[in-house]
């Protein structure tokens, strides 16, 4: 049996989790919601993150428009994802939620704009 | 003279929610005055996610959160003026403001909602010695440059202060290719959310140096190095612990200060601890019909709480305009002690409470396994177990209306009890650490 | 070829350059920095001393009182804020009272008008926030406060308006005297001039040695200050000095012309002529020392700390004379305190020397002593505010939220003669970034305006020196 102490990053609550690992089975304690339970297991088996950044845009109020992955991608793909964003150039107007990159790294996750401009 | 029922000063999350809620409560002829080029306030540069879990039960980025309110405001036909600065405001609720299209305006309001937000503490305010080169930015200024204007502010970075913006910028600068060498924090604990330490620092191997401060900034033209030293219990640098980090940029995330110059000048009474107006349950200040909400009242860590508080202010402003806000009845005062630094609101009139009263507060240190106790008129009405409380995370307590029926002038006290001990290491203790 | 080159655009150099434009001369004002007033002038106590302090018979003694009396006229002509608020020298014991009386006597010899020795009660009445330990003070009503860099910039601008050429970022690397002219080597090529005024501040000895023997030395002497928020600016109504004692001069507490509170300086002799760092020991020292004046200063309201370098001469007095080794080369050196106070008289004195050498000077008939007025938006009445925005909508956009500075004011200060070209230069002229947020909000917008007006890439906008870049590169360029 092994005990892992984690802080849940799913929401700003920051629940302190104890994840008990026993024969590749994980028991999560200290979570205040079901998402915390999922996080506890996933963080130890296949950690993922949402990426937020910006891409270039022309003709808008600003020079950059914020974007995000509309779901978690593997943690070790974060910098690769950033590289893909460097090459994007949008033209205003765009709507919040417009897809900038589809199905990145075959994860089924898209990069979408996170505001209208 | 322009006339409005409600004038909201500030078009950030607080102002937007207040204006929308005032309208929903049956008041027309509302004006939002925003000094920046668009609505949304600082949310527009907070492109990371984590906003809206309470409000929308989903995780939004700052701009997404702002956009939902901006769209609602527009759909409701609420008037707003951008690039508009309020120069002056008085007790009669007359406001003077300027912009480049309307020129100089005198505006008469029946009710005013103060929602000016806060600003960052600067290098000067904390007196970091050394040279005064380019390359010293507050984290928020750097955030605006990087996220909105599209410019990097440096390549090798040291961050002082572990407030949330500093932590967020540590990750942001790293993702954009900069090398963040360390985050130094004067206190033995971080002022930011723990999840931000995990996902902004730990994820990228950025060390958090607790109980450390900057003793010198080097470089006459541009920052060339930062000397960091450990501090003792009195926060004085310990000689011999200095370490120099070669870098070109220093970001400061050393606290936020409510922006109340306008409030003070108009005669609004201030709370010495929050640096914000003293408010009652309706978020009304000592000036009748002048309300305040959001970071101008006290600095929040979650925008969701700003929204909730601002809705109360907006609804109250509407009630005030419609003569529905009750002034009669008893008045209670809140008081934080024994670990509770402050409570908002400071004044409570039970007559205006529907079912429950929400109290918001911050503790003065990191505590583990404590109980938070609420006493009204000397009688204990609530006791909650807390596994962990920290100054960086706002606490709230709900109190039932029936518990508030007591003598005029009674105190509502909130304090911490039992095993109240500071454990600096435990706070960041993690597997293997 | 110029008739006159003035080296150094600090308070002395700009006063002299402007004075020279009253004559029909081809003049150039040269400075190594990116802005006027970037040396000693930008960081000092900003006091126009009454003039009791200097020993009679010295140039300091002669020129301080004289310069003080000239301030109203020049500040009116150039639309520069100057307030004659008076000064106190406070005493907390009999020994200090003795030195207060000495200063009074010296003041009488220097012809300082209307001085008075105040009793304990009079001090309390005029300055209720001072220490209870004060037993008396010297009051000199003619002392004043001014913004030294704004004055220097205004002088340069007026000199420019009257035909003086201004060359910034031009560093004098060497100089030689030829028959009837000087050839100045700079980082931007040679400049030739018949006469030279050496107003090079902490570098004046180095410039002097380019054409002659070492006749004096400048010891850069650092002084550190705290500047506090406007909310505590009215703690005192006068400049409050401490009586000099055996252990030193003490520190001053004074309001600034813009309503902040200034506390400082200490004095520290250094070898380094660019050592503008502040240190926690010294800032702690001035804070501690200030308690003798008043313990009511809330240092949590500190906006910033800064330090300045005095150009302390080895001779102990101002050096204003023609070089014995190079005729036509006039030193205006060692202009330490009370240099700012004496500056108008220093210029007059230096020009008298010049007129003795150059006897066939003709007047510049087109000389206009008045500077185009500066619009300070927040000082206008509501009607005037409405009017100016109608005329120019840029006055309707506030850029600096702390000090309520409009875009119109910033654009104006960029596009004048001797206009601001850096973020710090704009800050000195119209104050965005001087307030509590220290440029946090307005910094990016000031940079945008600078880039637009100067037709520069925003990445090339610097804080102060050419090497003090602010932005490194655009994001998303990989």
């Amino acid at each position: 049996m092994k005990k892992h102490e984690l802080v849940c990053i799913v929401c700003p609550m920051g629940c302190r989790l104890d994840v008990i690992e026993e024969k590749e089975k994980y028991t999560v304690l200290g979570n205040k919601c079901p998402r915390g339970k999922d996080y506890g297991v996933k963080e130890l088996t296949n950690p993922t993150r949402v990426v937020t950044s910006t891409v270039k845009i022309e003709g808008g109020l600003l020079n950059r428009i914020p974007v995000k992955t509309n779901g978690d991608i593997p943690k070790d793909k974060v910098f690769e994802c950033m590289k893909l964003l460097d090459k994007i150039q949008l033209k205003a107007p765009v709507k919040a939620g417009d897809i900038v990159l589809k199905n990145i790294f075959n994860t089924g996750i898209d990069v979408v704009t996170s505001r209208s401009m | 003279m322009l006339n409005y029922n409600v004038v909201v000063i500030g078009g950030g999350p607080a102002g937007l929610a207040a204006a929308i809620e005032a309208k929903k409560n049956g008041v027309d002829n509302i004006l939002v005055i925003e000094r920046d080029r668009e609505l949304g306030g600082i949310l527009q540069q907070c492109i990371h996610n984590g906003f809206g879990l309470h409000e929308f039960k989903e995780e939004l980025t700052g701009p997404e959160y702002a956009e939902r309110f901006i769209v609602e405001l527009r759909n409701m036909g609420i008037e707003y003026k951008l690039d508009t600065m309020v120069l002056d405001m008085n007790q009669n609720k007359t406001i003077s403001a300027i912009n480049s299209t309307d020129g100089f305006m005198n505006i008469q309001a029946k009710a005013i909602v103060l929602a000016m937000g806060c600003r960052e503490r600067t290098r000067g305010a904390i007196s970091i010695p050394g040279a005064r080169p380019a390359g010293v930015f507050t984290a928020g200024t750097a955030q605006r440059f990087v996220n909105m204007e599209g410019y990097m502010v440096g390549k090798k970075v040291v961050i002082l202060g572990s407030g949330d913006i500093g932590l967020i910028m540590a990750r942001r600068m790293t993702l954009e290719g900069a090398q963040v060498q360390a985050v130094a924090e004067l206190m033995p604990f971080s002022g930011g959310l723990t999840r931000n330490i995990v996902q902004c620092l730990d994820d990228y191997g950025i060390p958090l140096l607790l109980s450390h401060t900057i003793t010198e900034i080097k470089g006459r033209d541009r920052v060339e190095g930062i000397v960091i030293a450990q501090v003792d219990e009195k926060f004085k640098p310990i000689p011999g612990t200095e370490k120099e980090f070669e870098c070109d940029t220093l970001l400061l995330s050393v606290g936020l200060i409510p922006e109340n110059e306008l409030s003070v000048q108009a005669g609004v009474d201030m709370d010495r601890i929050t640096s914000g107006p003293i408010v009652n349950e309706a978020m009304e200040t000592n000036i009748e019909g002048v309300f305040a909400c959001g970071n101008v009242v006290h600095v929040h860590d979650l925008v969701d709480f700003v929204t909730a508080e601002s809705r109360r202010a907006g609804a109250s402003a509407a009630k005030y305009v419609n003569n529905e806000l009750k002034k009669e009845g008893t008045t209670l005062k809140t008081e934080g002690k024994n670990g509770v630094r402050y409570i908002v609101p400071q004044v409570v009139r039970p007559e205006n409470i529907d079912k429950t009263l929400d109290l918001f507060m911050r503790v003065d240190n990191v505590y583990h396994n404590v109980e938070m106790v609420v006493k009204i008129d000397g009688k204990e009405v609530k006791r909650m177990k807390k596994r962990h409380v920290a100054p960086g995370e706002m606490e709230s307590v709900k109190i039932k209306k029936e518990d508030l029926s007591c003598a005029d002038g009674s105190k509502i006290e909130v304090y911490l009890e039992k095993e109240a001990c500071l454990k600096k290491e435990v706070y960041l203790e993690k597997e293997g650490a | 070829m110029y008739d006159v080159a003035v080296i150094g655009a600090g308070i002395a150099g700009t006063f002299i350059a402007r004075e020279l434009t009253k004559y029909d001369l081809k003049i150039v004002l040269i400075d190594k920095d990116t802005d006027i007033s970037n040396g000693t002038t930008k960081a000092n106590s900003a006091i126009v001393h009454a003039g009791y302090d200097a020993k009679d018979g010295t140039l300091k003694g002669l020129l301080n009182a004289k310069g003080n009396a000239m301030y109203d006229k020049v500040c009116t002509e150039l639309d520069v804020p100057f307030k004659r608020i008076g000064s106190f020298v406070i005493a907390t014991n009999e020994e200090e009272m003795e030195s207060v009386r000495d200063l009074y006597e010296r003041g009488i010899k220097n012809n300082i008008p209307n001085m008075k020795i105040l009793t304990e009660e009079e001090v309390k009445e005029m300055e209720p926030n001072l220490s209870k330990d004060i037993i008396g003070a010297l009051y000199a009503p003619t002392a004043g406060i001014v913004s030294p860099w704004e004055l220097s910039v205004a002088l340069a601008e007026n000199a420019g308006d009257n035909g003086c050429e201004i060359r910034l970022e031009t560093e004098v690397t060497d100089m030689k005297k030829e028959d009837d002219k000087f050839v100045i080597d700079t980082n931007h090529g040679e400049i030739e001039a018949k006469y030279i005024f050496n107003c090079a501040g902490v570098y004046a000895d180095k410039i002097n040695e380019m054409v002659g023997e070492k006749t004096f030395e400048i010891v850069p002497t650092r002084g550190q200050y705290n500047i506090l928020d406007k909310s505590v600016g009215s703690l005192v109504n006068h400049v409050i000095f401490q009586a000099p004692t055996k252990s030193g001069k003490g520190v001053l507490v004074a309001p600034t012309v813009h309503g902040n509170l200034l506390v400082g300086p200490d004095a520290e002799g250094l070898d380094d002529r660019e050592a503008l760092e502040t240190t926690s020991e010294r800032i702690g020292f001035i804070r501690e020392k200030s308690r003798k004046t008043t313990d009511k200063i809330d240092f949590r309201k500190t906006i910033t700390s800064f330090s300045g370098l005095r150009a302390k001469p080895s001779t102990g007095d101002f050096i204003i004379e023609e070089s014995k080794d190079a005729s036509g080369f006039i030193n205006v050196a060692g202009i330490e305190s009370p240099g700012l106070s004496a500056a108008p008289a220093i210029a007059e004195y230096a020009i008298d020397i010049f007129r003795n050498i150059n006897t066939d000077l003709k007047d510049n008939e087109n000389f206009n002593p008045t500077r185009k007025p500066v619009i300070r938006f927040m000082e206008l009445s509501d009607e005037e505010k409405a009017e100016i925005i109608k005329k120019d909508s840029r006055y309707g956009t506030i850029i600096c939220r702390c000090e309520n500075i409009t875009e119109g004011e910033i654009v104006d200060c960029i596009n004048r003669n001797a206009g601001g070209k850096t973020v710090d230069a704009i800050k000195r002229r119209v104050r965005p970034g001087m307030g509590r947020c220290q440029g946090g909000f307005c910094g990016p917008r000031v940079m945008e305006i600078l880039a637009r007006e100067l037709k520069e890439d925003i990445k090339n906008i610097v804080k102060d020196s050419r090497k003090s870049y602010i932005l490194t590169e655009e994001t998303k360029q990989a």
Side-chain angles (χ1 to χ4, degrees):
Chain A
M1 195 186 89
K2 203 173 162 197
K3 194 173 116 181
H4 304 268
E5 287 181 21
L6 298 178
V7 174
C8 178
I9 62 166
V10 169
C11 85
M13 292 287 290
C15 292
R16 277 144 186 84
L17 308 179
D18 287 334
V19 187
I20 317 287
E21 181 183 351
E22 205 167 6
K23 292 175 191 152
E24 292 186 21
K25 267 190 75 180
Y26 297 89
T27 317
V28 181
L29 302 170
N31 55 309
K32 293 198 182 96
C33 79
R35 303 204 311 154
K37 193 174 172 181
D38 295 345
Y39 171 81
V41 178
K42 210 164 68 172
E43 189 64 10
L44 292 175
T45 52
N46 172 31
T48 58
R49 296 288 183 267
V50 167
V51 176
T52 58
S53 185
T54 62
V55 297
K56 283 178 277 195
I57 184 164
E58 261 176 22
L61 176 74
L62 309 171
N63 296 324
R64 298 289 181 275
I65 184 163
V67 296
K68 66 170 189 180
T69 55
N70 60 5
D72 292 2
I73 63 166
K75 196 174 157 187
D76 57 14
K77 296 276 188 203
V78 167
F79 280 97
E80 261 180 82
C81 175
M82 287 297 293
K83 275 216 179 87
L84 294 177
L85 297 180
D86 286 346
K87 298 184 177 63
I88 309 286
Q89 170 83 57
L90 301 183
K91 265 208 170 84
V94 295
K95 273 212 156 66
D98 282 0
I99 293 175
V100 171
L101 280 172
K102 233 182 146 42
N103 187 21
I104 52 167
F105 314 120
N106 274 322
T107 51
I109 300 296
D110 304 328
V111 176
V112 298
T113 54
S114 72
R115 66 168 285 175
S116 305
M117 196 182 285
Chain B
M1 180 82 78
L2 303 167
N3 284 286
Y4 290 92
N5 281 326
V6 179
V7 172
V8 179
I9 304 177
L16 291 169
I20 289 167
E21 202 64 14
K23 176 100 182 176
K24 282 183 180 165
N25 279 269
V27 171
D28 282 322
N29 200 18
I30 300 166
L31 174 68
V32 178
I33 299 178
E34 168 55 45
R35 58 190 168 192
D36 215 330
R37 57 197 166 190
E38 61 178 334
L39 293 172
I42 295 301
L43 282 177
Q44 297 288 15
Q45 67 185 53
C46 299
I47 63 165
H48 54 282
N49 61 335
F51 302 88
L53 262 146
H54 295 258
E55 269 308 311
F56 300 111
K57 307 289 173 239
E58 57 181 309
E59 236 185 304
L60 303 174
T61 66
E64 286 173 323
Y65 189 94
E67 195 161 318
R68 296 206 176 181
F69 287 89
I70 295 168
V71 167
E72 192 177 2
L73 182 102
R74 285 201 188 119
N75 288 344
M76 292 174 107
I78 296 172
E79 197 181 330
Y80 59 89
K81 289 182 185 295
L82 301 177
D83 283 314
T84 305
M85 185 76 183
V86 173
L87 301 178
D88 186 66
M89 166 191 136
N90 64 27
Q91 307 240 348
N92 301 326
K93 298 187 271 291
T94 312
I95 291 168
S96 65
I98 58 163
N99 66 30
S100 59
T101 47
D102 301 294
F104 185 91
M105 293 168 274
N106 278 310
I107 303 167
Q108 182 61 53
K110 285 188 184 150
I112 292 175
V113 180
L114 304 172
M116 291 88 75
C118 58
R119 64 161 180 273
E120 298 178 278
R121 282 176 81 200
T122 63
R123 170 186 180 184
I126 54 168
S127 297
I128 307 173
R132 309 208 308 156
V136 181
F137 301 86
T138 57
T141 304
Q143 191 179 43
R144 184 177 173 119
F145 271 127
V146 176
N147 291 350
M148 298 179 90
E149 321 293 343
Y151 290 99
M152 281 297 274
V153 296
K155 290 176 174 156
K156 258 181 151 180
V157 186
V158 166
I159 299 178
L160 176 65
S162 58
D164 286 313
I165 320 172
L167 300 176
I168 294 286
M169 281 311 289
R171 174 176 64 183
R172 190 70 191 108
M173 295 291 285
T174 306
L175 286 177
E176 289 293 344
Q179 190 192 332
V180 179
Q181 316 224 56
V183 176
E185 167 61 57
L186 181 69
M187 305 300 284
F189 50 83
S190 164
L193 295 173
T194 313
R195 82 164 195 156
N196 284 336
I197 294 168
V198 175
Q199 62 180 357
C200 298
L201 302 188
D202 299 349
D203 270 7
Y204 303 96
I206 300 166
L208 172 62
L209 308 172
L210 295 173
S211 296
H212 277 73
T213 195
I214 292 178
T215 56
E216 193 183 351
I217 296 175
K218 292 191 168 179
R220 284 175 184 175
D221 300 302
R222 175 80 188 195
V223 174
E224 288 168 13
I226 300 292
V227 182
I228 294 178
Q230 210 177 323
V231 297
D232 60 20
E233 294 81 34
K234 288 175 181 159
F235 308 115
K236 292 266 174 276
I238 302 170
T241 61
E242 296 88 356
K243 193 174 169 211
E244 186 173 339
F245 290 81
E246 192 195 309
C247 60
D248 61 14
T249 304
L250 171 63
L251 298 190
L252 300 174
S253 178
V254 290
L256 300 167
I257 308 165
E259 253 199 309
N260 275 298
E261 280 67 34
L262 202 58
S263 329
V264 170
Q265 169 235 324
V268 171
D269 286 344
M270 306 293 289
D271 183 320
R272 214 174 38 84
I273 298 176
T274 58
S275 301
I278 294 172
V279 291
N280 61 26
E281 77 300 326
M283 300 308 293
E284 188 182 25
T285 67
N286 62 306
I287 305 179
E288 225 185 88
V290 175
F291 301 81
C293 55
N295 284 349
V296 84
V297 178
H298 57 137
V299 176
H300 295 63
D301 34 66
L302 295 187
V303 72
D304 300 71
F305 292 157
V306 168
T307 299
E309 180 179 290
S310 306
R311 286 209 176 105
R312 280 210 305 285
S316 304
K319 277 189 187 163
Y320 175 82
V321 170
N322 292 331
N323 279 319
E324 290 164 4
L325 203 59
K326 296 181 189 112
K327 290 172 210 163
E328 63 279 6
T330 57
T331 299
L332 315 183
K333 283 203 166 132
T334 62
E335 189 186 310
K337 50 188 202 179
N338 237 5
V340 177
R341 239 181 108 230
Y342 74 77
I343 302 176
V344 169
Q346 292 86 344
V347 178
V348 177
R349 299 171 301 180
E351 278 295 309
N352 287 312
I353 309 286
D354 278 343
K355 285 184 193 127
T356 54
L357 165 72
D358 287 299
L359 296 180
F360 295 89
M361 63 208 71
R362 276 185 197 278
V363 296
D364 62 4
N365 216 326
V366 175
Y367 300 100
H368 292 268
N369 302 320
V370 288
E371 290 189 312
M372 190 174 258
V373 184
V374 184
K375 261 188 188 173
I376 300 178
D377 203 10
K379 199 180 92 204
E380 185 178 314
V381 298
K382 204 161 191 176
R383 180 177 285 265
M384 291 152 293
K385 279 202 165 53
K386 297 269 171 188
R387 195 177 155 202
H388 167 98
V389 289
E393 296 169 30
M394 197 159 75
E395 298 290 331
S396 67
V397 179
K398 273 194 191 321
I399 296 172
K400 290 192 221 105
K401 178 165 180 161
E402 50 265 35
D403 288 333
L404 294 167
S405 50
C406 51
D408 186 47
S410 295
K411 261 194 219 158
I412 306 175
E413 295 165 291
V414 184
Y415 57 93
L416 301 180
E417 224 177 64
K418 279 184 186 173
E419 292 180 55
C421 64
L422 170 69
K423 289 187 182 173
K424 34 185 165 176
E425 282 83 19
V426 171
Y427 182 60
L428 287 166
E429 203 174 70
K430 291 194 19 265
E431 186 200 12
Chain C
M1 163 107 115
Y2 295 95
D3 293 312
V4 190
V6 179
I7 300 170
I11 195 72
T14 51
F15 252 118
I16 287 169
R18 185 216 186 207
E19 204 57 30
L20 286 168
T21 57
K22 292 178 178 170
Y23 303 96
D24 184 17
L25 292 167
K26 197 165 179 243
I27 309 153
V28 63
L29 174 63
I30 302 168
D31 198 282
K32 69 177 172 41
D33 280 345
T34 53
D35 195 16
I36 308 295
S37 79
N38 222 15
T40 302
T41 306
K42 82 170 171 194
N44 56 73
S45 304
I47 309 286
V48 178
H49 295 271
Y52 47 74
D53 199 22
K55 293 207 173 58
D56 56 307
T58 62
L59 273 179
K60 286 181 182 176
L62 175 71
L63 299 176
N64 182 349
K66 214 171 155 194
N68 175 303
M70 295 164 80
Y71 255 85
D72 303 271
K73 181 166 179 271
V74 68
C75 288
T76 306
E77 285 173 346
L78 299 176
D79 191 11
V80 171
F82 167 61
K83 291 179 187 162
R84 221 175 255 291
I85 59 171
S87 68
F88 282 23
V89 182
I90 53 150
T92 57
N93 57 41
E94 198 38 50
E95 186 206 336
E96 289 171 8
M97 251 343 258
E98 197 54 44
S99 75
V100 160
R101 282 188 283 268
D102 286 349
L103 287 174
Y104 180 83
E105 291 306 320
R106 239 191 270 167
I108 295 292
K109 280 188 195 152
N110 289 346
N111 293 317
I112 309 307
N114 304 326
M115 288 182 308
K116 197 180 163 203
I117 291 184
L118 302 179
T119 64
E120 193 178 331
E121 288 68 37
E122 286 169 319
V123 171
K124 276 206 182 92
E125 201 189 321
M126 291 170 76
E127 285 290 1
N129 290 325
L130 296 191
S131 160
K132 302 265 173 300
D133 300 337
I134 294 168
I135 58 167
L138 170 65
Y139 173 50
T142 52
I145 50 177
V146 71
S147 162
W149 53 88
E150 281 173 76
L151 175 57
S152 196
V153 163
L155 287 161
E157 179 187 330
N158 187 243
D161 290 348
N162 284 305
C164 172
E165 199 178 314
I166 299 167
R167 290 205 194 175
L168 296 177
E169 297 181 56
T170 303
E171 184 170 0
V172 175
T173 50
D174 203 0
M175 197 186 315
K176 50 185 178 290
K177 165 101 199 198
E178 289 179 1
D179 299 338
D180 56 347
K181 67 178 182 191
F182 292 88
V183 180
I184 309 167
D185 287 340
T186 79
N187 55 336
H188 291 304
E190 284 183 352
I191 296 173
E192 295 183 348
K194 289 182 208 155
Y195 301 93
I196 304 281
F197 281 89
N198 171 18
C199 309
V202 292
Y203 292 95
D205 51 350
K206 303 283 172 206
I207 300 285
N208 178 52
E209 285 156 35
M210 288 176 185
V211 292
E213 289 299 305
K214 178 173 185 162
T215 49
F216 60 88
E217 198 178 348
I218 302 295
V219 183
T221 307
R222 180 162 70 183
Q224 303 192 21
Y225 296 86
N226 264 184
I227 188 114
L228 286 86
D229 190 79
K230 285 182 173 177
S231 60
V232 292
S234 55
L235 188 77
V236 295
N237 311 308
H238 304 81
V239 178
I240 315 291
F241 299 102
Q242 297 170 348
T245 63
K246 279 175 221 135
S247 65
K249 261 188 111 173
V251 299
L252 66 87
V253 176
T256 71
V257 276
H258 295 292
N260 299 91
L261 190 74
L262 184 71
V263 182
D266 65 328
E268 186 186 3
L270 301 167
D271 299 329
D272 188 339
R273 292 168 202 243
E274 300 288 333
L276 287 168
E277 288 82 6
T278 54
T279 61
S280 54
E281 301 79 48
R282 293 285 171 158
I283 292 295
F285 169 82
I286 61 163
R287 288 182 177 187
E288 188 48 44
K289 277 265 176 183
S290 74
R291 297 176 65 83
K292 187 171 174 182
T293 300
T294 170
D295 58 7
K296 293 199 177 121
I297 302 171
D298 181 0
F299 283 103
R300 287 174 308 176
K301 302 266 184 185
T302 300
I303 284 182
T304 194
S305 311
F306 66 89
S307 69
L309 291 174
R310 309 170 180 89
K312 196 177 177 61
S314 52
T315 60
D317 197 5
F318 297 155
I319 300 154
I320 311 170
E321 61 196 14
E322 189 181 18
S323 162
K324 291 189 177 57
D325 300 317
S327 62
F329 182 98
I330 300 166
N331 277 311
V332 183
I335 310 300
E336 61 170 339
S337 179
L340 173 64
S341 322
I346 288 173
E348 207 178 65
Y349 187 88
I351 298 291
D352 279 345
I353 296 173
F354 176 64
R355 279 152 48 116
N356 281 332
I357 314 168
N358 188 341
T359 48
D360 57 349
L361 279 180
K362 280 195 236 16
D363 284 348
N364 171 5
E365 279 159 19
N366 298 321
F367 177 78
N368 177 4
T370 314
R371 182 166 74 128
K372 188 176 91 183
V374 176
I375 291 163
R376 297 178 179 90
F377 183 77
M378 284 310 282
E379 290 175 13
L380 303 178
S381 68
D382 291 356
E383 294 72 30
E384 289 167 327
K385 283 185 183 124
E387 201 49 43
I388 185 83
I389 301 173
K390 255 183 224 158
K391 256 195 256 165
D392 184 342
S393 66
R394 291 174 298 189
Y395 285 94
T397 304
I398 296 281
I399 300 297
C400 161
R401 302 168 179 182
C402 301
E403 305 260 332
N404 282 339
I405 311 297
T406 63
E407 182 175 4
E409 291 163 271
I410 294 172
V411 169
D412 177 54
C413 90
I414 297 170
N415 294 322
R416 287 169 176 257
N417 255 321
K421 306 274 185 280
T422 66
V423 172
D424 278 1
I426 302 300
K427 175 172 158 181
R428 278 193 284 275
R429 281 163 181 76
V430 288
R431 304 181 53 74
M434 285 276 190
R436 312 172 183 95
C437 91
Q438 290 281 293
F441 287 121
C442 61
R445 303 197 65 187
V446 167
M447 288 172 70
E448 251 171 61
I449 296 170
L450 269 168
R452 186 187 73 209
E453 295 298 316
L454 301 174
K455 298 182 179 61
E456 273 280 0
D457 188 318
I458 194 165
K459 290 199 293 298
N460 297 333
I461 301 300
V462 292
K463 177 178 184 280
D464 182 17
S465 75
R466 201 36 64 198
K467 287 186 276 180
S468 64
Y469 64 93
I470 297 168
L471 304 175
T472 52
E473 62 199 337
E474 281 191 44
T475 60
K476 309 292 160 200
Q477 296 307 303

